[in-house]
């Protein structure tokens, strides 16, 4: 059964190379950390790098696998961040053990975001055309603004909620502010760290690969490639679009929870339109549909401006723009792309020849 | 009881009677041809009985069940599968995955079982691989199982579409110009395959075709459409020698 092993190979190979790469990078970073050789700035970037990678991989499921454009990644992240952080700060005393509390917060944040994803998806994903982009764009901004005007406090009488002002809550003066409007959420336990964030990233990547290479993923890609043919073989279009979009929202929510537990204060203004666009840039430049590419693009494109900040200061955004344009040209220009694949194929050929020589 | 019985089927596209009071009756196991000049409404008829368009009037019975007005997905589940005049493959998927997409509703496990790689994932995928390869073998495509569908040559793409349709295990298979763009050698091969499918899969086949050499050899019965209306129907040889048919279609 020669054909069979050939069929299963491409997936296992691709995914396991990615897992191995991730674990290798993680090990190297840990080593550098242990030897105390990492700058403080770099250390502070480790968790955000994982968060952005999760966001990019999750968005790639909707953009690359389903073929729908979503601009609401920051909105789902915001929902996850707020619901997870709220849970943790309320449960700090009830569940003092972070090892128990944090996984619950992560699941809760993911589920809240997924719920919103499905609620938006049900009306919008039935339509043909780019409605999802428009609706998710509006959704993200609405969520951000609602969260930024949210006031929640607790006193002897119980909880007080308002979406107008702190005074509007009618809380006793000795009450405790939990969410303070645009100032956000205070006192979230710092449960995130690089190891946890990395593990969640690894799980996300595994989920993404397993999703794509399964019965559901095959249905989703069939719908992407040809909607009419997919219907003709009995694939339920709306169901599979909803599952994919819901999973994207879930993972974005999870990323939000990790993000919010990395700082003790959380402000909704972080989750704006620019964040959604940034994640989309990672997905596009990493290669639409390529999960490994999403992670690499998220890491490289987050690190570059920070590294440039250290070296060339104020000119960094200029260079960043140049790099973005260069990457865009390389990934979208078929002539350049062809030349690059020709080179890599040549390299691969050289390596293979050497290997063959070794065996004989 | 006829497998497919269509009565008085009509649809208008803004004043154009694309299909006009058309009726057809196909018995189980028949190899039936639908012919007619360009723009006669043949593809539109396929779109009507597969739920792509809703008829303005008329009824469609499949195996005695009324499927008029049902959507494409329901109709596929009821037992009609088709190919398209302009090939519609899942371009980015492998040849094997195209067929496995057709197997989707017959081999099931949940999304969660897939994500967490539970035993049913491995068991079901293995069974799907085997069935898909068996189908591909019929069309001599098993060696290309891992090739991207869009990289197949044209003739093989047409065959793959048939394999994908068969994967849904239909009662009735609709082929829209299966030989279009094929060279004579490929066409001859295709005729063999169509007969093989009918005999070995217990299939009823309705095909649209312009290639008269194929139609006259393969089809047992014919219906002729002209300007959306039935011009004549019956045994292939009788229909093809009908002078009305010759002037409307063959003589042009
Ligand atoms: N969605 C539509 N909207 C408007 N007109 C349509 C539509 N679909 C088909 N038609 C028209 O209906 C008529 C029949 O088209 P159809 O595609 O069924 O012809 P056909 O018999 O398959 O021809 P061919 O042999 O060229 O494939 C044509 O005049 C076509 O322009
Ligand atoms: Mg046609």
């Amino acid at each position: 059964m020669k054909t069979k092993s050939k069929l299963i190979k491409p997936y296992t190979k691709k995914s396991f190379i990615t897992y191995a790469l991730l674990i290798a990078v993680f090990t190297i970073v840990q080593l550098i950390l242990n030897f105390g050789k990492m700058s403080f700035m770099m250390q502070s970037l480790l968790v955000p790098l994982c968060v952005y990678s999760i966001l990019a991989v999750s968005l790639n499921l909707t953009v690359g696998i389903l073929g729908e454009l979503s601009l609401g990644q920051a909105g789902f992240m915001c929902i996850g961040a707020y619901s997870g952080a709220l849970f943790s700060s309320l449960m700090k005393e009830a569940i003092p053990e972070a090892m128990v509390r944090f996984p619950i917060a992560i699941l809760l944040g993911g589920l809240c975001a997924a719920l919103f994803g499905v609620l938006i998806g049900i009306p919008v994903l039935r339509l043909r055309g780019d409605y999802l982009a428009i609706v998710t764009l509006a959704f993200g901004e609405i969520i951000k603004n609602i969260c930024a005007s949210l006031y929640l406090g607790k006193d002897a009488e119980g909880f007080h909620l308002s979406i107008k002002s702190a005074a509007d809550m009618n809380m006793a003066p000795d009450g405790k502010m939990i969410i303070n409007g645009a100032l956000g959420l205070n006192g979230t336990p710092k449960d995130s760290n690089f190891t946890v964030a990395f593990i969640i990233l690894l799980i996300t990547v595994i989920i993404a690969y397993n999703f794509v290479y399964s019965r559901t993923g095959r249905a989703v890609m069939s719908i992407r490639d040809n909607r009419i043919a997919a219907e003709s073989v009995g694939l339920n279009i709306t169901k599979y679009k909803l599952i994919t979009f819901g999973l994207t929202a879930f993972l974005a929510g999870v990323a939000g929870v990790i993000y919010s537990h990395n700082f003790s204060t959380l402000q909704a203004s972080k989750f704006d339109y620019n964040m959604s666009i940034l994640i989309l840039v990672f997905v596009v430049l990493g290669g639409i549909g390529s999960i490994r590419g999403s992670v690499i693009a998220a890491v490289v494109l987050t690190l570059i401006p920070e590294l440039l900040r250290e070296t060339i200061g104020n000119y960094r955004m200029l260079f960043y723009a140049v790099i973005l344009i260069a990457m865009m040209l390389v990934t979208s220009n078929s002539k350049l792309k062809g030349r690059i694949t020709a080179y890599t194929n040549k390299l691969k050929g050289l390596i293979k020849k050497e290997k063959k020589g070794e065996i004989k | 009881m006829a497998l497919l019985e269509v009565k008085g089927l009509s649809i208008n596209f803004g004043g154009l009677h694309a299909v006009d009071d058309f009726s057809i009756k196909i018995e189980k196991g028949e190899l039936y041809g639908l012919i007619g000049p360009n723009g006669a409404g043949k593809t539109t008829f396929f779109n009507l009985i597969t739920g792509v368009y809703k008829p303005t009037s008329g009824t469609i019975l499949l195996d005695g069940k009324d499927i008029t007005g049902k959507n494409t997905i329901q109709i596929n589940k009821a037992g009609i599968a088709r190919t398209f005049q302009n090939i519609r493959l899942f371009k980015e998927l492998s040849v094997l995955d195209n067929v496995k997409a057709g197997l989707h509703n017959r081999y099931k496990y949940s999304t969660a079982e897939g994500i967490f790689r539970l035993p049913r994932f491995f068991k079901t995928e293995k069974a799907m691989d085997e069935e898909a390869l068996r189908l591909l073998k019929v069309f001599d495509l098993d060696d290309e199982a891992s090739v991207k569908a869009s990289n197949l040559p044209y003739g093989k793409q047409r065959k793959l579409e048939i394999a994908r349709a068969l994967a849904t295990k239909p009662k009735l298979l609709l082929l829209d110009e299966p030989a279009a763009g094929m060279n004579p050698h490929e066409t001859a091969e295709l005729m063999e395959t169509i007969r093989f499918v009918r005999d070995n899969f217990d299939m009823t086949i309705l095909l649209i075709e312009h290639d008269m050499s194929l139609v006259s050899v393969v089809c047992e019965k014919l219906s002729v459409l002209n300007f959306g209306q039935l011009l004549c129907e019956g045994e292939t040889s009788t229909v093809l020698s009908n002078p009305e048919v010759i002037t409307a279609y063959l003589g042009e």
Side-chain angles (χ1 to χ4, degrees):
Chain A
M1 284 261 93
K2 205 174 147 198
T3 27
K4 237 196 238 165
S5 59
K6 222 195 255 166
L7 301 174
I8 298 172
K9 241 189 192 164
Y11 153 67
T12 14
K13 209 172 147 192
K14 233 198 249 169
S15 59
F16 278 80
I17 289 176
T18 309
Y19 306 151
L21 276 175
L22 279 172
I23 291 169
V25 170
F26 176 74
T27 317
I28 293 168
V29 171
Q30 283 296 349
L31 283 176
I32 300 175
L33 279 173
N34 283 349
F35 287 112
K37 285 271 163 36
M38 193 176 285
S39 73
F40 188 73
M41 187 215 70
M42 275 298 287
Q43 285 186 38
S44 71
L45 275 177
L46 291 176
V47 174
L49 280 173
C50 294
V51 169
Y52 288 137
S53 300
I54 296 171
L55 285 165
V57 170
S58 111
L59 183 63
N60 208 345
L61 294 179
T62 288
V63 174
I65 307 303
L66 179 61
E68 295 268 350
L69 190 54
S70 163
L71 297 172
Q73 205 67 344
F76 295 119
M77 190 187 175
C78 181
I79 290 171
Y82 263 73
S83 50
L86 186 61
F87 171 83
S88 292
S89 59
L90 291 178
M91 289 293 161
K92 240 189 304 195
E93 280 86 38
I95 315 174
E97 190 57 57
M99 288 280 279
V100 182
R101 187 181 56 218
F102 197 36
I104 302 177
I106 288 174
L107 270 181
L108 184 78
L111 288 176
C112 287
L115 180 73
F116 275 86
V118 171
L119 285 179
I120 295 174
I122 287 173
V124 176
L125 288 172
R126 283 171 191 280
L127 307 171
R128 300 174 201 196
D130 282 330
Y131 294 101
L132 190 68
I134 301 163
V135 172
T136 47
L137 175 63
F139 159 79
E141 288 300 295
I142 292 169
I143 287 294
K144 183 196 79 182
N145 287 323
I146 289 178
C147 286
S149 54
L150 207 59
Y151 294 87
L152 181 72
K154 191 187 177 188
D155 62 12
E157 282 173 44
F159 289 104
H160 296 264
L161 180 74
S162 164
I163 49 167
K164 273 192 202 139
S165 66
D168 187 54
M169 286 193 303
N170 287 323
M171 187 173 67
D174 63 334
K176 205 183 92 188
M177 276 306 251
I178 301 170
I179 304 177
N180 192 3
L183 296 177
L185 233 145
N186 256 316
T188 314
K190 268 204 76 182
D191 292 341
S192 283
N193 57 50
F194 177 49
T195 306
V196 174
F198 172 79
I199 290 170
I200 302 289
L201 169 61
L202 190 61
I203 293 175
T204 301
V205 172
I206 293 173
I207 288 178
Y209 273 117
N210 286 357
F211 176 79
V212 173
Y213 297 95
S214 74
R215 178 174 170 267
T216 309
R218 194 183 305 121
V220 173
M221 290 186 288
S222 303
I223 292 165
R224 171 199 66 191
D225 281 0
N226 202 307
R227 185 199 164 98
I228 291 172
E231 278 182 336
S232 84
V233 293
L235 300 181
N236 186 337
I237 311 283
T238 311
K239 174 180 160 189
Y240 287 109
K241 282 187 170 185
L242 266 181
I243 290 178
T244 314
F245 191 56
L247 182 61
T248 289
F250 176 85
L251 294 172
V254 167
V257 179
I258 298 167
Y259 185 83
S260 64
H261 288 69
N262 192 39
F263 311 100
S264 51
T265 60
L266 172 72
Q267 283 154 8
S269 56
K270 284 265 190 319
F271 308 108
D272 64 353
Y273 169 74
N274 290 318
M275 169 85 89
S276 296
I277 294 293
L278 186 69
I279 308 300
L280 186 62
V281 167
F282 296 160
V283 171
V284 172
L285 292 187
I288 287 179
S290 162
I291 289 160
R292 192 193 303 158
S294 287
V295 177
I296 294 173
V299 171
V300 170
L301 291 176
T302 310
L303 281 181
I304 286 174
E306 296 302 330
L307 294 178
L308 289 179
R309 191 206 301 274
E310 281 186 340
T311 49
I312 54 171
N314 285 339
Y315 293 103
R316 72 196 165 92
M317 285 328 277
L318 185 68
F319 274 80
Y320 187 58
V322 170
I323 290 167
L324 277 183
I325 292 168
M327 272 185 82
M328 206 163 64
L329 284 176
V330 169
T331 48
S332 69
N333 187 313
S334 53
K335 246 191 197 164
L336 270 173
K337 216 173 166 180
R339 220 171 275 171
I340 289 170
T341 39
Y343 278 126
T344 44
N345 283 346
K346 235 186 219 171
L347 268 175
K348 271 184 199 163
L350 282 177
I351 295 166
K352 265 190 193 149
K353 259 183 211 159
E354 266 174 31
K355 267 191 193 160
K356 266 184 197 161
E358 271 170 27
I359 295 164
K360 279 191 178 174
Chain B
M1 189 196 345
L3 180 72
L4 181 76
E5 190 168 358
V6 174
K7 274 184 262 174
L9 201 66
S10 304
I11 189 168
N12 299 333
F13 294 119
L16 173 79
H17 299 281
V19 172
D20 192 5
D21 194 24
F22 180 70
S23 300
I24 194 170
K25 205 167 171 178
I26 299 175
E27 300 296 330
K28 196 169 170 357
E30 264 176 348
L31 238 166
Y32 206 111
L34 181 61
I35 62 171
N38 288 106
K42 304 179 296 293
T43 300
T44 306
F45 173 68
F46 271 19
N47 284 334
L48 281 171
I49 56 174
T50 53
V52 176
Y53 300 145
K54 304 268 175 277
T56 32
S57 64
T59 54
I60 307 160
L61 300 182
L62 180 72
D63 227 359
K65 263 188 297 184
D66 190 354
I67 56 165
T68 321
K70 293 238 155 59
N71 69 35
T72 308
I73 297 161
Q74 291 165 327
I75 286 174
N76 177 259
K77 285 181 178 168
I80 301 183
R82 71 177 289 188
T83 66
F84 297 88
Q85 186 171 354
N86 313 310
I87 301 177
R88 290 177 176 274
L89 285 173
F90 305 132
K91 290 201 269 301
E92 300 293 319
L93 300 191
S94 70
V95 167
L96 185 82
D97 276 338
N98 268 271
V99 178
K100 282 168 87 178
L103 294 173
H104 188 87
N105 287 329
R106 294 174 47 215
Y107 291 82
K108 292 190 178 175
Y109 60 86
S110 70
T111 304
E113 282 172 311
I115 285 180
F116 298 113
R117 291 293 190 252
L118 299 183
R120 230 152 73 96
F121 163 83
F122 294 101
K123 223 179 76 190
T124 315
E125 284 291 322
K126 189 165 168 262
M128 286 174 109
D129 280 344
E130 282 165 8
E131 164 108 45
L133 281 173
R134 214 168 336 157
L135 268 169
L136 286 174
K137 200 158 191 127
V138 171
F139 295 89
D140 205 15
L141 283 168
D142 49 330
D143 284 338
E144 276 112 335
S146 52
V147 175
K148 203 161 95 168
S150 57
N151 289 342
L152 281 184
Y154 194 79
K156 291 191 171 181
Q157 293 198 10
R158 287 229 172 264
K159 286 189 186 174
L160 177 56
E161 255 204 325
I162 304 176
R164 182 183 66 190
L166 275 181
T168 66
K169 211 162 195 180
K171 295 175 185 158
L172 175 66
L173 180 63
L174 308 178
L175 306 176
D176 198 341
E177 302 198 17
M182 284 189 175
N183 61 38
H185 173 73
E186 285 175 318
T187 307
E189 243 182 41
L190 181 75
M191 289 197 271
E192 286 297 311
T193 317
I194 290 175
R195 280 221 200 81
F196 181 89
V197 166
R198 197 265 303 266
D199 297 340
N200 288 272
F201 289 77
D202 224 2
M203 194 63 55
T204 310
I205 299 174
L206 171 62
L207 62 86
I208 297 174
E209 191 48 72
H210 282 298
D211 186 337
M212 278 309 134
S213 63
L214 185 147
V215 170
S216 58
V217 174
V218 165
C219 299
E220 293 142 0
K221 277 190 185 169
L222 289 181
S223 281
V224 186
L225 257 179
N226 198 20
F227 296 113
Q229 288 177 324
L230 179 70
L231 189 69
C232 89
E233 63 182 341
E235 301 289 325
T236 301
S237 52
T238 328
V239 169
L240 289 184
S241 54
N242 183 325
E244 245 186 308
V245 174
I246 295 170
T247 44
Y249 186 27
L250 306 172
E252 67 180 347

